Amino acid sequence: MRNPYFVSRPYSCEFIEGERSAERLRRTGSNTGNLLFIHALKRVVRHERYSCGVKLNPSSVREQHDGLIVPAANWLKPNAALGKLAHLVESSKLPCVMVGLGAQATSYDRVPALDEGTVRLVRVIAERSHSISVRGQFSAEVLNHYGVKNVTVTGCPSMLWQVRAPVAVRRNGTDRPARVTVGTSRAGTTELIRTQTVRNRLSILLSAAAMKHGWDYVAQTEVHDIGVATSEISDAAGREQAAEYLRLAFQTSDDSAISDYLQRHLKVFFRIPDWLDYAVTRDFIFGTRLHGVIIGLIAGVPSLLLTHDTRTEEAAQWMGLPSVSATTVLQAKKLDLQRLYESIDLDSLNSRMQKYYAEFRRFFELNNVETNLVTT
């Protein structure tokens, strides 16, 4: 495969005059973390000219490209319906390689009930490739359950960002981090954020602590936070809806204090180079966002993932990412920043990154995909 078509959204969302941040966020797939693994694959996979899109014309793509690359996310979950994509991939009649597919569930005890269109998609791609790349062992088990056996556990491709060498992170000489950044995975509506899930409880704890201590907050999906930070919510009903949500998120009824905090400390990035330029200025990045933590590690900053579901747990385990379980943090009843910072094991991460890089290179070779990765 020398000139693949990328079945994905664009790898960056450039500014469009008059466009609000919420609209720009939707162009990322409503999560700026998507940009990282899409852009990483664009850098890794060789191609004659870059073309991408999720609404491809099968015959046109077949005339101009010799295969498909599908940068995947946590699609192995009940609410992902991918039948239309399955039809397009099937109609292309081209070899197809899916990279970084993940399952999402609250526990490992039950295999997610997948939409029949999603099952059809993974089966079609399995027939047209040597194997499907998944983020961890649980995702492999889910595919096996649905009859897909040619699976390779690779982890997420985002850590291939540097392309010519594995990621390596060193202590920055800071004993007590001062420039701290948090990212959380809060539920997106007032109704849902009230539910006492592990994810919500931890995200609220982190949000309140960030505001209390003046830490930066990187938003990836948080429409209400972004709207208040940018003063882009124009109608009174929208402002009240956002205020009600943010009172719960930050555990305070002081709307002015919330607005002031967000305008000073909220960051959102629509280009990965901009995100990395910011990350390199920090002492410590932590939270529940997988790609927010990976950005920190790529930038060479000690970073810690707080795992809260199968998706984050399996990725952290397979890739050797520094991590602590959400349950451990919640049971402590107090957020001990210094203890979290000191728990980071960079030696284990760096050792695992050598193997991760080599395993990914082998995966692409077996799928006949030409890359810019090198022999280490």
Side-chain angles (χ1 to χ4, degrees):
M1 197 181 294
R2 295 184 176 182
N3 188 34
Y5 181 89
F6 290 76
V7 185
S8 71
R9 296 175 182 275
Y11 61 86
S12 68
C13 287
E14 303 300 328
F15 176 74
I16 297 175
E17 188 69 34
E19 182 181 46
R20 295 188 177 185
S21 297
E23 296 162 347
R24 198 175 180 188
L25 184 63
R26 279 192 287 273
R27 290 199 282 129
T28 72
S30 298
N31 186 338
T32 58
N34 294 334
L35 300 175
L36 178 56
F37 62 83
I38 293 171
H39 200 163
L41 282 174
K42 187 259 183 184
R43 288 162 59 90
V44 166
V45 175
R46 290 184 183 176
H47 47 277
E48 294 174 6
R49 62 181 183 278
Y50 182 74
S51 298
C52 72
V54 292
K55 297 181 179 180
L56 62 152
N57 181 310
S59 60
S60 176
V61 168
R62 188 167 56 249
E63 290 174 1
Q64 301 176 48
H65 300 273
D66 60 357
L68 305 177
I69 298 290
V70 182
N74 52 315
W75 293 346
L76 300 179
K77 56 185 179 181
N79 62 345
L82 301 173
K84 291 182 179 179
L85 181 57
H87 173 72
L88 293 173
V89 170
E90 195 168 31
S91 300
S92 75
K93 301 179 182 179
L94 288 171
C96 183
V97 178
M98 177 177 276
V99 188
L101 180 64
Q104 185 163 4
T106 55
S107 78
Y108 298 105
D109 298 333
R110 183 177 298 177
V111 171
L114 302 183
D115 179 85
E116 62 181 18
T118 302
V119 174
R120 179 184 170 196
L121 174 66
V122 295
R123 288 177 176 172
V124 167
I125 293 177
E127 292 172 358
R128 299 187 181 189
S129 62
H130 175 271
S131 63
I132 292 176
S133 150
V134 296
R135 295 185 178 184
Q137 194 58 48
F138 180 63
S139 296
E141 292 170 3
V142 172
L143 285 183
N144 288 341
H145 175 82
Y146 286 97
V148 176
K149 307 296 183 181
N150 52 328
V151 179
T152 301
V153 182
T154 61
C156 174
S158 299
M159 290 290 274
L160 296 173
W161 174 267
Q162 294 181 351
V163 181
R164 306 299 290 181
V167 166
V169 186
R170 302 284 181 262
R171 287 284 179 185
N172 52 18
T174 301
D175 294 327
R176 302 188 68 83
R179 298 170 299 178
V180 178
T181 294
V182 170
T184 79
S185 309
R186 293 193 239 114
T189 67
T190 300
E191 180 181 2
L192 290 176
I193 200 174
R194 293 181 189 275
T195 60
Q196 291 296 301
T197 63
V198 169
R199 182 185 77 165
N200 280 344
R201 288 166 58 206
L202 181 59
S203 293
I204 289 171
L205 175 66
L206 295 177
S207 299
M211 181 174 167
K212 177 182 177 180
H213 296 290
W215 301 333
D216 280 0
Y217 186 104
V218 172
Q220 291 184 207
T221 63
E222 294 90 329
V223 175
H224 295 310
D225 303 58
I226 296 169
V228 169
T230 58
S231 302
E232 290 180 345
I233 305 176
S234 57
D235 61 294
R239 288 195 295 271
E240 178 53 36
Q241 183 182 42
E244 182 182 6
Y245 173 86
L246 293 171
R247 290 171 201 142
L248 293 170
F250 290 98
Q251 295 292 282
T252 178
S253 59
D254 191 337
D255 295 345
S256 178
I258 294 172
S259 177
D260 181 67
Y261 166 73
L262 291 174
Q263 288 175 5
R264 289 173 179 268
H265 291 283
L266 183 129
K267 314 293 179 184
V268 59
F269 301 98
F270 296 97
R271 297 177 67 255
I272 298 304
D274 295 340
W275 199 345
L276 287 169
D277 286 345
Y278 163 79
V280 78
T281 69
R282 314 309 289 166
D283 296 326
F284 182 35
I285 295 172
F286 77 109
T288 59
R289 290 287 187 183
L290 174 63
H291 293 103
V293 168
I294 289 177
I295 280 279
L297 295 171
I298 293 171
V301 176
S303 303
L304 183 71
L305 179 64
L306 306 184
T307 60
H308 58 92
D309 59 10
T310 61
R311 179 183 64 93
T312 50
E313 284 179 2
E314 70 168 0
Q317 290 170 3
W318 190 263
M319 299 168 69
L321 305 180
S323 66
V324 173
S325 74
T327 303
T328 298
V329 176
L330 290 170
Q331 286 177 343
K333 298 182 180 179
K334 180 181 178 182
L335 194 64
D336 189 335
L337 181 74
Q338 189 64 27
R339 187 172 182 178
L340 292 174
Y341 180 71
E342 292 174 355
S343 74
I344 296 174
D345 184 352
L346 294 178
D347 290 337
S348 294
L349 168 71
N350 293 335
S351 175
R352 180 66 189 115
M353 281 297 99
Q354 296 286 332
K355 298 176 183 177
Y356 160 90
Y357 186 94
E359 289 165 356
F360 244 123
R361 185 169 53 80
R362 180 60 175 160
F363 165 79
F364 285 120
E365 287 175 353
L366 291 172
N367 278 282
N368 296 315
V369 176
E370 294 191 10
T371 74
N372 295 311
L373 303 178
V374 299
T375 303
T376 58

